[in-house]
């Protein structure tokens, strides 16, 4: 079972940033409005995520860290609306790190915690916590030296974590995110509307001139903001694309974004954009990879045309 968990971990847990992504998604699935992320050593020594979500009852804590125990799969897998649904993240992380899961379910008299690591499970036992859930991950990959060696330096891993949090923060403007730790300066994204969150994450300079994108084709809706051509970057890092609220890094979508600017931007420059695609869940498969970065559209041509058309129209309307 340990070996199976470690193999599964390879799929879900590549580096500290993927741990942060999974844990923050769990907090969002639990309805959290405030999520605090603390790291040390680029997340290699410590990742701690605290949320004010619905929590987990004491008798479900051990289940949550076992394989394929998800509380989220009600029916058709293609229609899942929560961010997680495989029940793989916590067991996978627990198989390659020391994980403490502490939680107080809504209405529960007290909180409890379980510990997974070093090949054993402990708990549940009573623990102090006034609400929500705290997940602490220590010494990631300490038992898998080959994986540890593969990680980058602390600064690179810390900034990959920042990038994951920025991406998720864009998708959830009403949620407060706090990122802190001994390996970084503190970042807080206060709750607000989408333009406010975009200004906080991408900078008010970007938002000051950004073109509003708002288009629809055959029921597929694209909204968001695209930077003016002069507000371009030397890399494609600041291209944020979301499908039904999930951050994705889909090749087709990113290439469509690029294509939209083909006539107005040098080839070595990259537009800045935050685009939100809303599409009937039956038209899209987000289950291509456990890390859920790629998606498969039933009609990629339609989506590609929508992205290119909508951005070109926005560029055209502003005379660019
Ligand atoms: P999944 O998210 O795919 O269901 P995970 O391994 O990430 O699987 O989590 C297992 C289960 O633990 C979840 O289904 C959920 O019931 C519970 N859980 C995990 N994190 C939290 C959290 N922050 N708040 C409430 N419940 C949580
Ligand atoms: Mg999950």
């Amino acid at each position: 079972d340990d070996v199976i968990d470690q193999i599964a971990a390879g799929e879900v847990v590549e580096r500290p940033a993927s741990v942060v992504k999974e844990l923050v998604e769990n907090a969002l699935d639990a309805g959290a409005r405030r999520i605090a992320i603390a790291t040390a050593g680029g997340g290699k020594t410590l990742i701690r995520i605290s949320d004010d979500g619905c929590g987990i009852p004491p008798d479900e804590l051990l289940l949550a860290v076992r394989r394929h125990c998800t509380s989220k799969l009600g029916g058709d897998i293609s229609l899942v609306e929560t961010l997680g649904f495989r029940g793989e993240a916590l067991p996978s992380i627990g198989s390659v790190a020391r994980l403490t899961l502490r939680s107080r379910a809504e209405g529960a008299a007290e909180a409890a915690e379980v510990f997974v690591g070093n090949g054993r499970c402990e708990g549940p036992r009573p623990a102090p916590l006034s609400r929500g859930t705290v997940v602490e991950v220590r010494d990631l990959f300490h038992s898998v030296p080959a994986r540890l060696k593969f990680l980058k330096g602390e600064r690179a891993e810390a900034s990959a974590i920042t990038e994951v949090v920025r991406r998720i923060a864009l998708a959830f403007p009403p949620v407060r995110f706090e990122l802190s730790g001994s390996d970084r300066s503190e970042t807080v994204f206060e709750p607000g509307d989408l333009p406010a969150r975009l200004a906080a994450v991408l900078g008010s300079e970007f938002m000051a001139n950004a073109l509003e994108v708002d288009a629809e084709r055959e029921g597929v809706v694209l909204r968001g903001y695209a930077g003016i051509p002069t507000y371009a970057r030397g890399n494609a890092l600041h291209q944020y694309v979301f499908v039904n609220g999930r951050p994705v890094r889909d090749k087709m979508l990113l290439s469509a974004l690029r294509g939209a600017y083909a006539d107005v931007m040098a080839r070595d420059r990259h537009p800045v954009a935050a685009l939100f695609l809303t599409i009937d869940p039956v038209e899209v498969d987000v289950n291509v990879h456990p890390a859920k970065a790629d998606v498969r559209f039933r009609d990629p041509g339609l989506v590609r045309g929508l992205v290119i058309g909508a951005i070109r129209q926005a560029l055209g309307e502003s005379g660019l």
Side-chain angles (χ1 to χ4, degrees):
D1 223 42
D2 261 22
V3 173
I4 293 172
D5 281 342
Q6 291 197 357
I7 292 168
E11 297 265 285
V12 180
V13 187
E14 256 173 48
R15 57 194 299 196
S18 32
V19 172
V20 170
K21 173 177 177 289
E22 292 293 335
L23 298 182
V24 171
E25 288 185 348
N26 281 349
L28 290 164
D29 281 344
R33 306 298 286 191
R34 300 168 72 92
I35 301 175
I37 303 114
T39 63
K44 291 189 257 188
T45 347
L46 171 72
I47 295 168
R48 187 194 299 117
I49 317 261
S50 318
D51 70 60
D52 64 351
C54 65
I56 308 167
D59 58 322
E60 287 175 24
L61 282 173
L62 268 184
L63 286 177
V65 296
R66 295 209 170 120
R67 254 172 84 69
H68 299 306
C69 286
T70 174
S71 59
K72 298 168 192 169
L73 216 48
D76 186 342
I77 195 165
S78 68
L79 303 179
V80 284
E81 273 169 20
T82 49
L83 296 162
F85 56 85
R86 290 166 184 268
E88 263 178 14
L90 292 182
S92 298
I93 296 164
S95 73
V96 292
R98 297 184 235 279
L99 182 148
T100 305
L101 175 63
R102 180 180 305 163
S103 194
R104 180 161 177 174
E106 245 156 40
E110 61 175 8
E113 71 177 20
V114 291
F115 170 86
V116 209
N118 313 321
R120 61 198 164 88
C121 283
E122 291 168 14
R125 59 189 166 219
L129 185 69
S130 58
R131 70 177 301 188
T133 301
V134 179
V135 187
E136 217 171 74
V137 177
R138 288 186 185 274
D139 306 321
L140 183 65
F141 295 142
H142 68 283
S143 58
V144 202
R147 303 288 305 278
L148 194 59
K149 216 168 59 188
F150 194 71
L151 296 180
K152 299 199 174 115
E154 290 185 8
R155 281 184 55 187
E157 294 299 339
S159 63
I161 290 172
T162 308
E163 196 47 46
V164 159
V165 173
R166 288 161 55 88
R167 196 171 292 281
I168 299 178
L170 283 178
F172 294 87
V175 177
R176 181 183 195 273
F177 291 88
E178 185 185 306
L179 182 54
S180 66
S182 58
D183 54 358
R184 62 178 71 248
S185 54
E186 189 177 81
T187 305
V188 178
F189 297 128
E190 294 295 349
D193 57 11
L194 179 62
R197 180 55 58 88
L198 282 165
V201 176
L202 292 173
S204 38
E205 200 196 328
F206 164 76
M207 276 308 279
N209 303 302
L211 308 168
E212 199 169 347
V213 175
D214 187 356
E216 190 257 313
R217 233 179 241 192
E218 293 177 40
V220 187
V221 175
L222 185 74
R223 293 217 171 86
Y225 293 85
I228 52 173
T230 48
Y231 194 83
R233 297 288 178 91
N235 60 56
L237 204 60
H238 294 276
Q239 297 176 351
Y240 298 92
V241 186
F242 303 84
V243 175
N244 292 342
R246 285 167 196 266
V248 300
R249 288 268 340 136
D250 180 70
K251 284 196 189 68
M252 185 276 285
L253 288 172
L254 293 176
S255 111
L257 172 61
R258 194 159 234 307
Y261 284 85
D263 295 339
V264 292
M265 196 174 277
R267 280 201 63 85
D268 60 341
R269 305 295 289 163
H270 301 268
V272 176
L275 299 172
F276 299 82
L277 192 80
T278 308
I279 183 168
D280 187 334
V282 305
E283 295 290 326
V284 61
D285 180 7
V286 292
N287 306 326
V288 182
H289 185 269
K292 296 176 291 244
D294 260 305
V295 291
R296 192 175 292 143
F297 295 101
R298 190 182 283 182
D299 186 351
L302 170 71
V303 177
R304 189 182 165 81
L306 172 64
V307 171
I308 294 182
I311 296 174
R312 287 209 173 139
Q313 186 185 340
L315 286 165
E317 276 167 8
S318 55
L320 295 163

